[in-house]
Short mmCIF file of all heavy atoms in Angstrom, two decimals:
data_model
loop_
_atom_site.label_atom_id
_atom_site.label_comp_id
_atom_site.label_asym_id
_atom_site.label_seq_id
_atom_site.Cartn_x
_atom_site.Cartn_y
_atom_site.Cartn_z
N CYS A 19 5.44 2.04 21.97
CA CYS A 19 6.15 1.18 21.01
C CYS A 19 7.65 1.07 21.33
O CYS A 19 8.36 0.28 20.74
CB CYS A 19 5.96 1.66 19.59
SG CYS A 19 6.30 3.42 19.38
N ALA A 35 12.12 -2.27 23.92
CA ALA A 35 11.73 -3.11 22.76
C ALA A 35 12.51 -2.75 21.50
O ALA A 35 12.73 -3.59 20.63
CB ALA A 35 10.26 -2.98 22.48
N CYS A 36 12.92 -1.46 21.40
CA CYS A 36 13.40 -0.96 20.10
C CYS A 36 14.91 -0.64 20.14
O CYS A 36 15.35 0.28 20.83
CB CYS A 36 12.63 0.29 19.75
SG CYS A 36 13.33 1.22 18.37
N PRO A 37 15.73 -1.39 19.41
CA PRO A 37 17.19 -1.12 19.39
C PRO A 37 17.50 0.30 18.92
O PRO A 37 18.41 0.93 19.41
CB PRO A 37 17.72 -2.15 18.40
CG PRO A 37 16.69 -3.24 18.32
CD PRO A 37 15.39 -2.57 18.57
N SER A 38 16.74 0.81 17.98
CA SER A 38 17.05 2.12 17.36
C SER A 38 16.88 3.25 18.39
O SER A 38 17.81 4.06 18.54
CB SER A 38 16.10 2.32 16.16
OG SER A 38 16.36 3.50 15.53
N ILE A 39 15.76 3.28 19.10
CA ILE A 39 15.60 4.38 20.08
C ILE A 39 16.51 4.20 21.26
O ILE A 39 17.03 5.18 21.83
CB ILE A 39 14.11 4.49 20.53
CG1 ILE A 39 13.89 5.76 21.37
CG2 ILE A 39 13.66 3.29 21.35
CD1 ILE A 39 13.94 7.05 20.61
N TYR A 47 13.85 8.27 16.16
CA TYR A 47 14.39 6.92 15.94
C TYR A 47 13.52 5.81 16.50
O TYR A 47 14.00 4.68 16.64
CB TYR A 47 15.81 6.85 16.54
CG TYR A 47 16.80 7.71 15.81
CD1 TYR A 47 16.95 9.04 16.15
CD2 TYR A 47 17.59 7.20 14.79
CE1 TYR A 47 17.85 9.85 15.51
CE2 TYR A 47 18.51 8.00 14.10
CZ TYR A 47 18.62 9.34 14.47
OH TYR A 47 19.53 10.14 13.81
N SER A 48 12.29 6.08 16.80
CA SER A 48 11.36 5.05 17.28
C SER A 48 10.29 4.79 16.23
O SER A 48 10.20 5.54 15.24
CB SER A 48 10.68 5.52 18.57
OG SER A 48 9.84 6.62 18.30
N GLY A 49 9.49 3.74 16.43
CA GLY A 49 8.40 3.46 15.52
C GLY A 49 7.45 4.66 15.43
O GLY A 49 7.13 5.17 14.34
N GLY A 50 7.07 5.19 16.60
CA GLY A 50 6.15 6.34 16.63
C GLY A 50 6.81 7.57 15.97
O GLY A 50 6.15 8.35 15.27
N ARG A 52 9.00 7.63 13.56
CA ARG A 52 9.03 7.51 12.08
C ARG A 52 7.65 7.68 11.49
O ARG A 52 7.47 8.09 10.35
CB ARG A 52 9.64 6.14 11.69
CG ARG A 52 11.12 6.06 12.05
CD ARG A 52 11.84 4.81 11.56
NE ARG A 52 13.24 4.90 11.91
CZ ARG A 52 13.79 4.42 13.03
NH1 ARG A 52 13.05 3.78 13.92
NH2 ARG A 52 15.10 4.57 13.27
N THR A 76 18.01 3.75 9.96
CA THR A 76 18.70 3.21 11.16
C THR A 76 17.66 2.45 12.01
O THR A 76 17.41 2.78 13.16
CB THR A 76 19.36 4.30 11.98
OG1 THR A 76 18.48 5.43 12.01
CG2 THR A 76 20.71 4.72 11.48
N CYS A 77 17.11 1.44 11.40
CA CYS A 77 16.03 0.62 11.97
C CYS A 77 16.15 -0.72 11.32
O CYS A 77 16.30 -0.82 10.10
CB CYS A 77 14.70 1.30 11.62
SG CYS A 77 13.26 0.22 11.65
N SER A 78 16.10 -1.77 12.15
CA SER A 78 16.28 -3.12 11.56
C SER A 78 14.96 -3.72 11.07
O SER A 78 14.93 -4.88 10.66
CB SER A 78 16.89 -4.05 12.64
OG SER A 78 16.13 -3.99 13.81
N MET A 79 13.90 -2.95 11.07
CA MET A 79 12.59 -3.43 10.63
C MET A 79 12.19 -4.69 11.36
O MET A 79 11.63 -5.64 10.80
CB MET A 79 12.56 -3.66 9.11
CG MET A 79 12.76 -2.38 8.31
SD MET A 79 11.48 -1.13 8.59
CE MET A 79 10.23 -1.67 7.44
N CYS A 80 12.54 -4.73 12.66
CA CYS A 80 12.34 -5.95 13.43
C CYS A 80 10.88 -6.18 13.85
O CYS A 80 10.49 -7.27 14.21
CB CYS A 80 13.22 -5.92 14.68
SG CYS A 80 12.70 -4.71 15.92
N GLY A 81 10.10 -5.10 13.86
CA GLY A 81 8.67 -5.26 14.16
C GLY A 81 8.33 -5.27 15.63
O GLY A 81 7.14 -5.44 16.00
N ALA A 82 9.29 -5.03 16.54
CA ALA A 82 8.94 -5.04 17.97
C ALA A 82 7.98 -3.90 18.31
O ALA A 82 7.05 -4.07 19.11
CB ALA A 82 10.21 -4.92 18.81
N CYS A 83 8.21 -2.74 17.69
CA CYS A 83 7.30 -1.59 17.90
C CYS A 83 5.90 -1.91 17.47
O CYS A 83 4.90 -1.54 18.13
CB CYS A 83 7.83 -0.34 17.16
SG CYS A 83 8.11 -0.64 15.41
N ASP A 84 5.81 -2.65 16.39
CA ASP A 84 4.51 -3.01 15.81
C ASP A 84 3.70 -3.89 16.78
O ASP A 84 2.51 -3.63 17.02
CB ASP A 84 4.78 -3.78 14.49
CG ASP A 84 3.58 -3.95 13.62
OD1 ASP A 84 3.21 -2.98 12.97
OD2 ASP A 84 3.00 -5.05 13.61
N PRO A 97 2.36 0.18 12.56
CA PRO A 97 3.61 0.88 12.48
C PRO A 97 4.59 0.29 11.45
O PRO A 97 5.22 1.02 10.69
CB PRO A 97 4.17 0.76 13.90
CG PRO A 97 2.98 0.61 14.75
CD PRO A 97 2.00 -0.18 13.97
N LEU A 98 4.69 -1.03 11.41
CA LEU A 98 5.70 -1.63 10.52
C LEU A 98 5.30 -1.41 9.03
O LEU A 98 6.17 -1.12 8.19
CB LEU A 98 5.82 -3.13 10.80
CG LEU A 98 7.06 -3.81 10.22
CD1 LEU A 98 8.34 -3.23 10.76
CD2 LEU A 98 7.04 -5.31 10.45
N MET A 101 6.18 2.12 8.17
CA MET A 101 7.63 2.31 7.99
C MET A 101 8.10 1.66 6.69
O MET A 101 9.00 2.17 6.04
CB MET A 101 8.38 1.75 9.20
CG MET A 101 8.17 2.60 10.44
SD MET A 101 9.29 2.21 11.78
CE MET A 101 8.83 0.54 12.16
N ARG A 105 9.82 3.55 3.39
CA ARG A 105 11.05 3.12 2.72
C ARG A 105 10.80 3.00 1.20
O ARG A 105 11.65 3.37 0.40
CB ARG A 105 11.53 1.78 3.27
CG ARG A 105 12.15 1.95 4.64
CD ARG A 105 12.72 0.65 5.19
NE ARG A 105 13.48 0.95 6.41
CZ ARG A 105 14.51 0.27 6.84
NH1 ARG A 105 14.93 -0.80 6.17
NH2 ARG A 105 15.16 0.60 7.92
N ARG A 291 7.93 -13.03 15.11
CA ARG A 291 6.78 -12.13 14.87
C ARG A 291 6.60 -11.76 13.40
O ARG A 291 5.47 -11.47 12.95
CB ARG A 291 6.90 -10.87 15.71
CG ARG A 291 8.16 -10.09 15.50
CD ARG A 291 8.28 -8.88 16.43
NE ARG A 291 9.65 -8.41 16.43
CZ ARG A 291 10.46 -8.42 17.46
NH1 ARG A 291 10.03 -8.85 18.62
NH2 ARG A 291 11.69 -7.99 17.38
N CYS A 354 15.58 -7.78 19.13
CA CYS A 354 16.18 -8.05 17.82
C CYS A 354 17.71 -8.14 17.97
O CYS A 354 18.30 -7.43 18.77
CB CYS A 354 15.79 -6.90 16.90
SG CYS A 354 16.67 -6.86 15.36
N LEU A 368 25.00 0.20 15.13
CA LEU A 368 23.67 -0.12 15.63
C LEU A 368 23.55 -1.63 15.77
O LEU A 368 23.02 -2.14 16.76
CB LEU A 368 22.57 0.48 14.74
CG LEU A 368 21.15 0.08 15.06
CD1 LEU A 368 20.76 0.46 16.52
CD2 LEU A 368 20.15 0.75 14.09
S1 SF4 B 502 11.19 -1.96 13.60
FE1 SF4 B 502 12.50 -2.43 15.39
S2 SF4 B 502 14.27 -1.02 15.22
FE2 SF4 B 502 12.64 -0.24 13.83
S3 SF4 B 502 11.53 1.26 15.03
FE3 SF4 B 502 10.42 -0.69 15.28
S4 SF4 B 502 11.32 -1.62 17.14
FE4 SF4 B 502 12.71 0.02 16.49
#
Side-chain angles (χ1 to χ4, degrees):
C19 50
C36 168
S38 181
I39 189 71
Y47 292 85
S48 67
R52 293 185 177 93
T76 40
C77 157
S78 55
M79 296 298 276
C80 71
C83 53
D84 194 76
L98 196 61
M101 290 192 295
R105 286 183 171 210
R291 57 184 164 245
C354 169
L368 174 57

